[in-house]
Amino acid sequence: MLYWFAAASLWLAIGVWLGPCGLVPVTLVALSIAILTRPGVPGGLKASLIVLLWACGLLLLASLPGVGREAPRRSHCANKLRQIGIALQEYHDAYGSFPPAYLADANGKPMHSWRVLILPYLEHRQLYAQYNFSEPWNGPNNRLLANQFSAVFGSPFRCRSDDPAKPAETSYVAVVGPRTMWPGAESTTFGDIPDGATKTVLVVEVGGSGIHWMEPRDLDMSALKLAAQPAGTNPIASGHPGGPQAAMADASVRTLSKSMRRDTLEAFFTRDGGEPIDE
Protein backbone atom coordinates (compact mmCIF):
# COMPACT_ATOMS: atom_id res chain seq x y z
CA MET A 1 0.00 0.00 0.00
CA LEU A 2 2.83 2.37 0.89
CA TYR A 3 4.50 1.54 -2.43
CA TRP A 4 1.42 2.55 -4.46
CA PHE A 5 0.98 5.72 -2.40
CA ALA A 6 4.60 6.72 -3.07
CA ALA A 7 4.24 5.91 -6.78
CA ALA A 8 1.03 7.96 -7.06
CA SER A 9 2.64 10.89 -5.23
CA LEU A 10 5.65 10.79 -7.55
CA TRP A 11 3.38 10.63 -10.60
CA LEU A 12 1.40 13.66 -9.41
CA ALA A 13 4.59 15.58 -8.64
CA ILE A 14 5.88 14.90 -12.16
CA GLY A 15 2.53 16.03 -13.54
CA VAL A 16 2.71 19.33 -11.68
CA TRP A 17 6.33 19.86 -12.75
CA LEU A 18 6.10 18.89 -16.42
CA GLY A 19 2.41 19.46 -17.15
CA PRO A 20 0.30 17.09 -19.26
CA CYS A 21 2.69 17.26 -22.22
CA GLY A 22 5.50 15.84 -20.10
CA LEU A 23 3.37 13.55 -17.97
CA VAL A 24 2.12 11.45 -20.89
CA PRO A 25 5.55 10.19 -22.08
CA VAL A 26 6.67 9.61 -18.46
CA THR A 27 3.56 7.47 -17.89
CA LEU A 28 4.16 5.57 -21.14
CA VAL A 29 7.74 4.77 -20.13
CA ALA A 30 6.63 3.59 -16.67
CA LEU A 31 3.90 1.35 -18.08
CA SER A 32 6.28 -0.04 -20.72
CA ILE A 33 8.76 -1.00 -17.98
CA ALA A 34 5.94 -2.62 -16.00
CA ILE A 35 4.91 -4.70 -19.02
CA LEU A 36 8.48 -5.76 -19.83
CA THR A 37 9.22 -6.83 -16.26
CA ARG A 38 5.93 -8.70 -15.73
CA PRO A 39 6.68 -12.46 -15.44
CA GLY A 40 4.71 -15.10 -17.32
CA VAL A 41 3.78 -12.93 -20.30
CA PRO A 42 5.08 -14.08 -23.73
CA GLY A 43 7.59 -11.76 -25.40
CA GLY A 44 5.44 -11.32 -28.49
CA LEU A 45 2.45 -10.25 -26.40
CA LYS A 46 4.62 -7.82 -24.45
CA ALA A 47 5.81 -6.18 -27.68
CA SER A 48 2.24 -5.90 -28.98
CA LEU A 49 1.00 -4.38 -25.74
CA ILE A 50 3.81 -1.81 -25.73
CA VAL A 51 3.18 -0.83 -29.36
CA LEU A 52 -0.55 -0.44 -28.64
CA LEU A 53 0.17 1.49 -25.45
CA TRP A 54 2.47 3.96 -27.20
CA ALA A 55 0.11 4.39 -30.14
CA CYS A 56 -2.74 5.32 -27.80
CA GLY A 57 -0.44 7.55 -25.72
CA LEU A 58 0.85 9.47 -28.73
CA LEU A 59 -2.70 9.98 -29.99
CA LEU A 60 -3.62 11.35 -26.56
CA LEU A 61 -0.56 13.61 -26.57
CA ALA A 62 -1.43 14.97 -30.02
CA SER A 63 -4.97 15.75 -28.85
CA LEU A 64 -3.86 17.94 -25.95
CA PRO A 65 -4.47 21.69 -26.50
CA GLY A 66 -1.59 23.34 -28.33
CA VAL A 67 0.54 20.18 -28.67
CA GLY A 68 1.80 19.78 -32.22
CA ARG A 69 0.67 23.31 -33.09
CA GLU A 70 2.43 25.66 -30.69
CA ALA A 71 5.96 24.59 -31.69
CA PRO A 72 5.58 25.41 -35.41
CA ARG A 73 3.61 28.56 -34.56
CA ARG A 74 6.35 29.83 -32.26
CA SER A 75 9.07 28.85 -34.73
CA HIS A 76 7.30 30.62 -37.57
CA CYS A 77 6.84 33.81 -35.53
CA ALA A 78 10.49 33.70 -34.48
CA ASN A 79 11.58 33.40 -38.12
CA LYS A 80 9.37 36.35 -39.07
CA LEU A 81 10.82 38.46 -36.28
CA ARG A 82 14.35 37.49 -37.32
CA GLN A 83 13.60 38.51 -40.92
CA ILE A 84 12.18 41.84 -39.75
CA GLY A 85 15.21 42.41 -37.51
CA ILE A 86 17.61 41.73 -40.40
CA ALA A 87 15.57 44.02 -42.69
CA LEU A 88 15.85 46.81 -40.12
CA GLN A 89 19.61 46.30 -39.98
CA GLU A 90 19.83 46.45 -43.78
CA TYR A 91 17.83 49.68 -43.72
CA HIS A 92 20.33 50.99 -41.17
CA ASP A 93 23.19 50.02 -43.48
CA ALA A 94 21.56 51.87 -46.38
CA TYR A 95 20.50 55.06 -44.58
CA GLY A 96 22.78 55.23 -41.57
CA SER A 97 19.90 54.83 -39.11
CA PHE A 98 16.89 52.71 -38.33
CA PRO A 99 13.62 53.92 -39.87
CA PRO A 100 11.48 56.30 -37.82
CA ALA A 101 8.33 54.88 -36.28
CA TYR A 102 6.43 56.91 -38.87
CA LEU A 103 6.77 59.55 -41.54
CA ALA A 104 4.67 62.61 -40.71
CA ASP A 105 2.78 65.01 -42.96
CA ALA A 106 3.29 68.79 -43.01
CA ASN A 107 1.25 69.13 -39.83
CA GLY A 108 3.22 66.49 -37.94
CA LYS A 109 0.46 63.87 -38.20
CA PRO A 110 1.70 60.28 -38.68
CA MET A 111 1.24 59.36 -42.34
CA HIS A 112 3.33 56.27 -43.17
CA SER A 113 4.57 53.35 -41.05
CA TRP A 114 8.05 51.94 -40.62
CA ARG A 115 6.60 48.64 -41.82
CA VAL A 116 6.14 50.14 -45.28
CA LEU A 117 9.64 51.61 -45.27
CA ILE A 118 11.36 48.24 -44.85
CA LEU A 119 9.38 46.39 -47.55
CA PRO A 120 12.32 46.51 -50.02
CA TYR A 121 14.49 44.70 -47.45
CA LEU A 122 11.87 41.97 -47.02
CA GLU A 123 12.00 41.12 -50.75
CA HIS A 124 8.83 43.08 -51.49
CA ARG A 125 10.15 45.83 -53.74
CA GLN A 126 7.18 45.53 -56.08
CA LEU A 127 4.72 46.10 -53.24
CA TYR A 128 6.82 49.03 -52.06
CA ALA A 129 6.82 50.49 -55.58
CA GLN A 130 3.02 50.36 -55.66
CA TYR A 131 2.72 52.33 -52.42
CA ASN A 132 1.99 56.03 -52.87
CA PHE A 133 3.80 58.22 -50.32
CA SER A 134 2.02 61.35 -51.53
CA GLU A 135 -1.27 60.17 -50.02
CA PRO A 136 -2.07 58.84 -46.50
CA TRP A 137 -1.55 55.18 -45.70
CA ASN A 138 -5.30 54.58 -46.14
CA GLY A 139 -5.66 56.76 -49.26
CA PRO A 140 -7.46 55.54 -52.41
CA ASN A 141 -4.37 53.95 -53.97
CA ASN A 142 -2.81 52.54 -50.81
CA ARG A 143 -6.13 51.08 -49.69
CA LEU A 144 -5.90 48.67 -52.64
CA LEU A 145 -2.73 47.19 -51.11
CA ALA A 146 -4.38 46.50 -47.75
CA ASN A 147 -4.52 42.72 -47.97
CA GLN A 148 -1.19 42.16 -49.76
CA PHE A 149 0.69 41.55 -46.56
CA SER A 150 0.15 37.96 -45.38
CA ALA A 151 3.71 37.00 -46.34
CA VAL A 152 5.18 40.10 -44.69
CA PHE A 153 3.69 41.09 -41.34
CA GLY A 154 1.09 38.40 -40.80
CA SER A 155 1.34 34.73 -39.96
CA PRO A 156 -0.57 31.81 -41.50
CA PHE A 157 -0.54 30.27 -38.03
CA ARG A 158 -1.91 33.46 -36.42
CA CYS A 159 -1.58 33.74 -32.67
CA ARG A 160 -4.67 32.41 -30.91
CA SER A 161 -5.74 35.89 -29.87
CA ASP A 162 -5.59 37.17 -33.46
CA ASP A 163 -8.85 37.67 -35.35
CA PRO A 164 -8.83 35.74 -38.67
CA ALA A 165 -11.54 38.11 -39.89
CA LYS A 166 -8.93 40.90 -39.96
CA PRO A 167 -6.38 39.64 -42.50
CA ALA A 168 -4.58 43.00 -42.72
CA GLU A 169 -3.93 43.22 -38.97
CA THR A 170 -0.24 43.14 -38.12
CA SER A 171 1.18 40.75 -35.55
CA TYR A 172 4.48 42.66 -35.29
CA VAL A 173 4.69 46.09 -33.73
CA ALA A 174 7.19 48.54 -32.28
CA VAL A 175 7.02 50.02 -28.79
CA VAL A 176 7.29 53.79 -29.21
CA GLY A 177 8.43 56.33 -26.66
CA PRO A 178 11.17 58.93 -26.03
CA ARG A 179 13.75 56.42 -24.74
CA THR A 180 12.84 53.48 -26.96
CA MET A 181 14.26 52.61 -30.38
CA TRP A 182 11.21 54.37 -31.84
CA PRO A 183 10.95 57.96 -30.51
CA GLY A 184 8.39 58.88 -33.19
CA ALA A 185 9.29 60.74 -36.38
CA GLU A 186 12.96 60.72 -35.37
CA SER A 187 15.40 57.97 -36.28
CA THR A 188 17.87 56.16 -34.03
CA THR A 189 21.18 54.47 -34.73
CA PHE A 190 23.30 51.75 -33.16
CA GLY A 191 25.20 54.58 -31.50
CA ASP A 192 22.05 55.46 -29.58
CA ILE A 193 22.00 52.09 -27.76
CA PRO A 194 24.40 52.30 -24.82
CA ASP A 195 22.35 49.55 -23.14
CA GLY A 196 23.53 47.14 -25.84
CA ALA A 197 21.84 45.77 -28.97
CA THR A 198 21.34 42.34 -27.41
CA LYS A 199 19.29 43.84 -24.55
CA THR A 200 17.16 46.32 -26.49
CA VAL A 201 13.91 45.38 -28.25
CA LEU A 202 13.16 46.55 -31.78
CA VAL A 203 9.90 44.73 -32.54
CA VAL A 204 7.56 42.58 -30.48
CA GLU A 205 4.77 40.24 -31.55
CA VAL A 206 1.25 41.04 -30.38
CA GLY A 207 -1.91 39.01 -30.85
CA GLY A 208 -5.03 40.95 -31.74
CA SER A 209 -3.11 44.21 -32.14
CA GLY A 210 -5.99 45.99 -33.89
CA ILE A 211 -3.35 47.78 -36.01
CA HIS A 212 -3.45 47.66 -39.82
CA TRP A 213 -0.04 46.70 -41.19
CA MET A 214 0.24 50.00 -43.12
CA GLU A 215 -1.13 52.12 -40.28
CA PRO A 216 1.47 54.45 -38.70
CA ARG A 217 0.54 53.30 -35.21
CA ASP A 218 2.23 50.98 -32.71
CA LEU A 219 2.27 50.32 -28.97
CA ASP A 220 2.95 53.33 -26.79
CA MET A 221 5.40 52.83 -23.93
CA SER A 222 3.31 54.93 -21.56
CA ALA A 223 0.26 52.75 -22.26
CA LEU A 224 2.30 49.65 -21.47
CA LYS A 225 3.37 51.14 -18.14
CA LEU A 226 -0.26 51.83 -17.28
CA ALA A 227 -1.32 48.35 -18.37
CA ALA A 228 1.34 46.81 -16.16
CA GLN A 229 0.35 48.76 -13.04
CA PRO A 230 0.32 47.62 -10.32
CA ALA A 231 1.08 43.98 -11.23
CA GLY A 232 4.58 43.04 -12.28
CA THR A 233 3.56 40.74 -15.13
CA ASN A 234 4.07 41.25 -18.87
CA PRO A 235 1.07 43.19 -20.25
CA ILE A 236 1.77 42.17 -23.88
CA ALA A 237 -0.35 39.25 -25.10
CA SER A 238 0.83 37.25 -28.11
CA GLY A 239 -1.13 34.03 -27.78
CA HIS A 240 2.03 31.99 -27.12
CA PRO A 241 1.77 30.18 -23.76
CA GLY A 242 5.22 31.25 -22.59
CA GLY A 243 4.93 34.89 -23.59
CA PRO A 244 5.55 37.09 -26.63
CA GLN A 245 8.72 36.92 -28.69
CA ALA A 246 10.74 39.98 -29.62
CA ALA A 247 13.36 40.93 -32.20
CA MET A 248 16.31 42.58 -30.50
CA ALA A 249 18.45 45.32 -32.07
CA ASP A 250 21.07 42.72 -33.06
CA ALA A 251 18.32 40.76 -34.95
CA SER A 252 18.32 37.95 -32.40
CA VAL A 253 14.95 36.72 -31.09
CA ARG A 254 14.06 36.11 -27.47
CA THR A 255 10.95 35.37 -25.43
CA LEU A 256 9.66 38.01 -23.02
CA SER A 257 8.22 35.77 -20.32
CA LYS A 258 4.60 36.25 -19.31
CA SER A 259 5.78 36.57 -15.72
CA MET A 260 8.55 39.07 -16.49
CA ARG A 261 8.82 41.87 -13.94
CA ARG A 262 7.63 45.30 -15.09
CA ASP A 263 11.02 46.95 -14.51
CA THR A 264 12.77 44.20 -16.50
CA LEU A 265 10.33 44.61 -19.38
CA GLU A 266 10.82 48.38 -19.41
CA ALA A 267 14.59 47.88 -19.38
CA PHE A 268 14.33 45.78 -22.56
CA PHE A 269 12.31 48.49 -24.32
CA THR A 270 14.54 51.43 -23.39
CA ARG A 271 17.79 51.91 -25.26
CA ASP A 272 19.72 54.18 -22.88
CA GLY A 273 18.31 53.64 -19.39
CA GLY A 274 21.37 51.85 -18.09
CA GLU A 275 19.11 49.60 -16.01
CA PRO A 276 20.54 46.27 -14.87
CA ILE A 277 18.43 43.50 -16.40
CA ASP A 278 17.51 40.64 -14.09
CA GLU A 279 16.77 37.83 -16.53
Side-chain angles (χ1 to χ4, degrees):
M1 183 67 180
L2 183 60
Y3 168 80
W4 288 111
F5 177 78
S9 300
L10 177 62
W11 187 80
L12 288 173
I14 293 174
V16 172
W17 181 39
L18 297 179
C21 299
L23 186 59
V24 171
V26 169
T27 303
L28 292 176
V29 170
L31 292 176
S32 298
I33 294 174
I35 292 173
L36 287 172
T37 56
R38 188 173 182 83
V41 180
L45 180 57
K46 287 182 178 180
S48 299
L49 288 173
I50 290 175
V51 170
L52 180 61
L53 173 68
W54 277 85
C56 293
L58 292 176
L59 285 174
L60 173 62
L61 187 63
S63 69
L64 292 174
V67 176
R69 294 185 294 275
E70 172 55 23
R73 181 188 292 114
R74 177 173 288 276
S75 176
H76 179 89
C77 290
N79 288 334
K80 281 295 179 185
L81 283 164
R82 192 170 292 108
Q83 291 172 19
I84 292 172
I86 292 173
L88 287 166
Q89 287 192 343
E90 291 179 352
Y91 183 100
H92 190 289
D93 291 342
Y95 293 96
S97 68
F98 291 107
Y102 57 82
L103 295 180
D105 63 14
N107 298 317
K109 180 181 178 181
M111 193 172 179
H112 307 293
S113 171
W114 64 270
R115 284 176 286 270
V116 174
L117 297 178
I118 66 169
L119 285 175
Y121 306 99
L122 289 167
E123 300 182 358
H124 287 277
R125 294 183 180 276
Q126 184 176 358
L127 180 58
Y128 181 79
Q130 296 173 16
Y131 190 88
N132 187 353
F133 283 91
S134 64
E135 67 179 36
W137 68 273
N138 55 354
N141 173 78
N142 294 336
R143 197 180 301 134
L144 301 176
L145 309 177
N147 294 327
Q148 298 187 40
F149 96 117
S150 59
V152 187
F153 295 105
S155 165
F157 290 95
R158 308 295 288 178
C159 296
R160 284 192 295 275
S161 54
D162 286 352
D163 185 351
K166 299 177 180 178
E169 183 178 272
T170 181
S171 298
Y172 308 104
V173 300
V175 175
V176 299
R179 294 171 56 200
T180 71
M181 291 299 297
W182 308 91
E186 301 176 1
S187 299
T188 58
T189 70
F190 278 113
D192 297 321
I193 320 177
D195 285 355
T198 62
K199 296 183 178 180
T200 305
V201 170
L202 275 177
V203 178
V204 68
E205 59 179 358
V206 174
S209 69
I211 300 173
H212 190 288
W213 78 274
M214 293 190 299
E215 184 179 1
R217 180 167 67 94
D218 289 274
L219 294 181
D220 191 273
M221 183 69 168
S222 61
L224 282 179
K225 290 181 179 180
L226 292 174
Q229 300 277 1
T233 56
N234 189 344
I236 301 175
S238 71
H240 294 305
Q245 298 179 109
M248 313 305 286
D250 67 341
S252 63
V253 176
R254 69 180 304 151
T255 297
L256 304 177
S257 170
K258 291 174 65 175
S259 60
M260 183 174 286
R261 289 166 49 93
R262 187 180 68 244
D263 54 355
T264 301
L265 186 67
E266 291 180 12
F268 274 123
F269 285 126
T270 55
R271 67 181 190 273
D272 59 355
E275 311 97 333
I277 294 180
D278 180 9
E279 302 185 52

